Amino acid sequence: MTTTPAEQAAMRRALSLAATPGVPLGPNPRVGCVLLADDGTEIAEGFHRGAGTPHAEVAALTEAGDAARGATAVVTLEPCNHTGRTGPCVEALIAAGVRRVVFAQRDPNPVAAGGAAALQEAGIEVEAGVMATVARGVNRAWTFAVEHQRPFVTWKFATTLDGRSAAADGTSRWISGTDARRDTHTLRAECDVLLVGTGTVLIDNPQFNVRDELDQPVEHQPLRAVMGEREVPADSRIFDAPGEALRLQTRDPAEALKQLYAAGRQHVWLEGGPTLAAAFLKAGLVDEIYAYVAPTFLGAGANAVGDLGITTINDQLRWHLKRAGVIGTGADATVRLTLEPAKAGL
């Protein structure tokens, strides 16, 4: 069984729908669905708009009405086969009389998996794995979280050319340029948790939110989490609205991630100080790094990362440079490095 050009075009459209900007992040994956008639023309489309809302398949079926009978459903993720806040999409597709289902990524969640088999048992043709790699990219953090039972962790830091994240007097605003700070907010918005340590709250008292190009807080804010055993003032700015804030009374990165995963969170943006960064690195719990390197020197002050216990060059933590780019111009320019863990043997 193979896909038709119309089904491939529909999958590209479904992937675009799944990645629709502005959809609140949450415990559910991003999913798009396109319904096709026998002649390959589009009947309806839909996408998941956040936890508690109709799934993509149901949204498309609702739009199609009776026209869904005999149609082909092109979906970015294997239709779910369980009841959560909404009913199983498999049952909705069967009830609507869909003839064929083409999907991209198999559902890695054992609770929701099994949709393909259930559809086939109902006599519906199923084609799996179409543009699966692209679909995994759309749900990169969600897929990782389900497969590893913990959130994906992105560590961001800004540093001078000599590796300093703050001056000798503790000041750190602003090492990176204006354009780099705007870039940071764009990337923060892709996460559902912003995590710092108690030290950062006590020293910097940050708002730690996501702001738009006008420097105003966006409508849907990630959860702001403060990790550590020290007490922080209840009137700290990190607890201000909009959005929610959470205290994690632990210094253990694994325990913090366990609590966040239990709360349905998938992607942690780590932006604490050098001590917190070192703890996550030593625990092997950093999955991606954004390093903003400014063309400046301090000569003294806090390092970007704390003591990792490394005493010889052979034990260095080596990372793979995924991409590099310059943000801003002139003295305001900053180099952004995107890094991922080096693969074994490299």
Side-chain angles (χ1 to χ4, degrees), residues 64-83:
D66 292 340
R69 187 161 299 278
T72 294
V74 180
V75 195
T76 58
L77 182 69
E78 180 181 8
C80 66
N81 194 32
H82 84 299
T83 299

Side-chain angles (χ1 to χ4, degrees), residues 69-210:
R69 187 161 299 278
T72 294
V74 180
V75 195
T76 58
L77 182 69
E78 180 181 8
C80 66
N81 194 32
H82 84 299
T83 299
R85 295 189 184 183
T86 59
C89 291
V90 164
E91 291 184 5
L93 290 164
I94 295 171
V98 168
R99 177 185 64 83
R100 174 170 159 85
V101 173
V102 177
F103 70 85
Q105 180 185 1
R106 288 196 178 275
D107 196 328
N109 186 349
V111 175
L119 290 168
Q120 289 173 322
E121 288 176 6
I124 295 174
E125 294 179 9
V126 175
E127 180 76 8
V130 179
M131 302 183 191
T133 301
V134 180
R136 284 180 65 92
V138 171
N139 284 305
R140 179 184 65 147
W142 175 82
T143 301
F144 179 96
V146 171
E147 292 178 345
H148 292 80
Q149 296 291 288
R150 70 164 178 86
F152 185 89
V153 177
T154 297
W155 172 38
K156 173 266 175 181
F157 68 94
T159 180
T160 61
L161 288 171
D162 53 345
R164 307 293 180 176
S165 63
D169 64 358
T171 56
S172 61
R173 301 175 67 182
W174 297 99
I175 288 176
S176 57
T178 303
D179 290 332
R181 294 195 293 274
R182 288 175 180 160
D183 183 67
T184 293
H185 281 278
T186 299
L187 294 171
R188 275 183 184 176
E190 297 177 0
C191 305
D192 56 6
V193 182
L194 307 179
L195 178 62
V196 293
T198 53
T200 296
V201 174
L202 293 170
I203 295 171
D204 295 337
N205 193 22
Q207 287 181 303
F208 204 35
N209 56 15
V210 176

Side-chain angles (χ1 to χ4, degrees), residues 300-314:
N303 292 323
V305 64
D307 185 5
L308 295 173
I310 296 173
T311 58
T312 177
I313 196 67
N314 292 332

Side-chain angles (χ1 to χ4, degrees), residues 235-256:
D235 60 354
S236 298
R237 295 201 303 166
I238 200 167
F239 300 122
D240 292 345
E244 300 177 77
L246 176 68
R247 280 287 283 116
L248 300 171
Q249 298 277 356
T250 180
R251 299 175 62 187
D252 180 1
E255 174 60 26

